[in-house]
Amino acid sequence: MLDLLGTLQRTHYCGNLRAVDADKDVVLMGWVHKRRDLGNLLFIDLRDRSGLAQIVFNKELHAAAHARAEELRAEYVVAVIGRVVKRQKVNPDLASGEVEIIATELRILNTAKTPPFVVEDETTATEETRLRYRYLDLRRSEPRRKLALRHRVILEIRRAMDEMGFYEIETPMLTRSTPEGARDYLVPSRVHPGHFYALPQSPQIFKQLLMIAGMDRYFQIVKCFRDEDLRADRQPEFTQLDLEISFPTQDTVFGVIENVMVRACAVAGITVNGPFRRMKYKEAIQRYGSDKPDLRFGMELHDVTAEFAAAREVLHIEGSVQALAAPGAAAFSRKQLDELAEKAKGLGARGVYTAKVTAEGITSALEKNLGAETLKKIGAIVEAKPGDLVVAVTAKEQIPGTDAAALIAGQVRLQLAEQLKLVPKERWEFLWITEFALFEWNTTEKAVVSAQHPFTGIVDEDVAKLDDPSDEVRLSMRSKGYDLVLNGVELGSGSIRIHQQELQDRIFKTLGLSEEQRRNRFGFFLDALTYGTPPHGGIALGMDRVVALLAGEKSMREVIAFPKTTKAQDLMAEAPSTVDQDQLDMLGIQLKPVEEK
Ligand code: ASP
């Protein structure tokens, strides 16, 4: 028999009770976390959102409550009426461990089936089970704490944005395609058969329209949808802090984001200071082989192409040779060196060369190709110290406009840093990357494509290069785009935009869109640009990733209430799913067999 809640009201949260609450009469409500039956005394740990409190049922003092408590099982929902007393022995593991509650009355408000896994801090349940029963998983303290952190971070961001004069403005979810470079999720229109909405890949066009509309400063914490290929830490729907500013310089945007991030970090107990470091894209690739360098450790790359000149043919070297000094790795065994070479080759390296540095000098099989002097010179260039291993990498495939050897060496650098434990976990290295390439080479399309989205502004001196039809010149054009990076993770990107219709149209043309495609896809936007568009720019940060980093979590799924798996499935709701024939008929959709991927 279940009891009724009636008019009973909760007075306290379990986890908040302290010694100062002793002698208070309280009403607590929550779930039975654990129960221990010692005969005349029965204890339960009662759980609510705030944490746990120990409840004591004493048969001699309150027989009826004790009898009722004997029926309790894990996850039953109860109301406890009782008095707070100080414990004789404090439980240091519980925030409320100074006190316990002597129950005078117990109401059982609901029973619970035995859960598929025990709701406890350390769980052995697989991620699949946790996601299938996410509502039970979220009862655990860790997931709960992360959602609480997410709430506080987002609230603080909203406060900061408001204080800086931004309006939060919603933009449509049912819209048309935005070119962010991913596939769209399409939504069929019943009212207009054969027509589709696209879920927004980002509010990019709308936020630019809001600038044309004179809103001056817009932001939104907004869901975006991208049907991308499955990859470890991707979510098909994710949340952005999206913003746009009229009449900004790059510094205006950076200042806003620095303020936001400093405050968001503070919420998580992390002290960082603005302004953040800045680095040009080219320099980032040269020094770190990455457009999102992790600055928490050194091991910078050095171009030693010239030093390898004499052996280019013998060693079949194409492109550049990039080297670094790995501290302490001179002690690597034969096996470790082989593994290093294997890994680098797995990343696309053609040649991987190593040299050990000891107090006596530098030794390497390379000596016979390069000579002792050149080898010494390489050691000096990479600033190798005794105990270091010099690693040099060459690459096979050369994509126009990129340095494959540098990109591979950059990944080798990251792997070595992990292996050699060079990454200090408590450091927070923010970095702005600027002056990205405007276009990049797409190997499947064999054409230049926008490196970011096609609304990205062009560095003023480079605009004239658009007149030159050669791919090489186009690949050398710099954009007004920028990325924010934290500890080697890209948090988001943005740009100062193109605000002149004529230039925007030329970009679309350069990207190979015909007059008709331009009108059809972007006509409304190109029109809007002709009605007095202010210079504007903005950025979007991936909030799931930001919160995951602040929470010290590797996976974004841990900071999303109901995440999807890496296969883009919601295991709990079992989405995506098939739909009734009626629904398809109404939409005029006929399915044809699709090959399983
Ligand atoms: N719309 C861009 C994105 O989602 C961000 C921006 O350019 O503001 O990546």
Side-chain angles (χ1 to χ4, degrees), residues 531-551:
Y531 287 100
T533 301
H536 59 286
I539 190 166
L541 300 187
M543 287 318 297
D544 309 293
R545 193 151 278 146
V546 167
V547 178
L549 281 170
L550 296 184

Side-chain angles (χ1 to χ4, degrees), residues 316-385:
H316 306 288
I317 294 174
E318 295 168 27
S320 77
V321 188
Q322 302 292 331
L324 56 83
F332 270 12
S333 65
R334 181 76 260 158
K335 186 160 162 258
Q336 283 174 307
L337 289 175
D338 288 345
E339 275 168 10
L340 172 68
E342 266 324 295
K343 273 196 202 148
K345 288 198 172 140
L347 296 166
R350 166 172 279 180
V352 187
Y353 310 100
T354 54
K356 289 189 173 182
V357 184
T358 61
E360 283 75 53
I362 181 164
T363 53
S364 166
L366 272 178
E367 191 175 327
K368 66 175 188 301
N369 303 109
L370 304 179
E373 273 317 298
T374 309
L375 194 58
K376 229 164 102 191
K377 193 167 167 208
I378 293 175
I381 292 173
V382 302
E383 293 170 31
K385 294 181 198 49

Side-chain angles (χ1 to χ4, degrees), residues 180 201-204 207 224 226 238 240 242-244 452-453 456 492-495 497 538-540:
E180 293 283 0
Q201 289 187 36
S202 83
Q204 186 61 37
K207 67 175 174 176
C224 301
R226 295 182 195 178
F238 57 93
Q240 283 188 342
D242 189 48
L243 64 89
E244 197 73 12
Q452 211 208 3
H453 53 58
T456 308
S493 50
S495 56
R497 323 295 181 189
I539 190 166

Side-chain angles (χ1 to χ4, degrees), residues 118-134:
V118 182
V119 177
E120 57 192 350
D121 290 357
E122 297 291 325
T123 181
T124 50
T126 60
E127 190 178 24
E128 193 183 327
T129 311
R130 288 174 47 211
L131 290 182
R132 198 172 289 278
Y133 298 94
R134 183 66 167 157

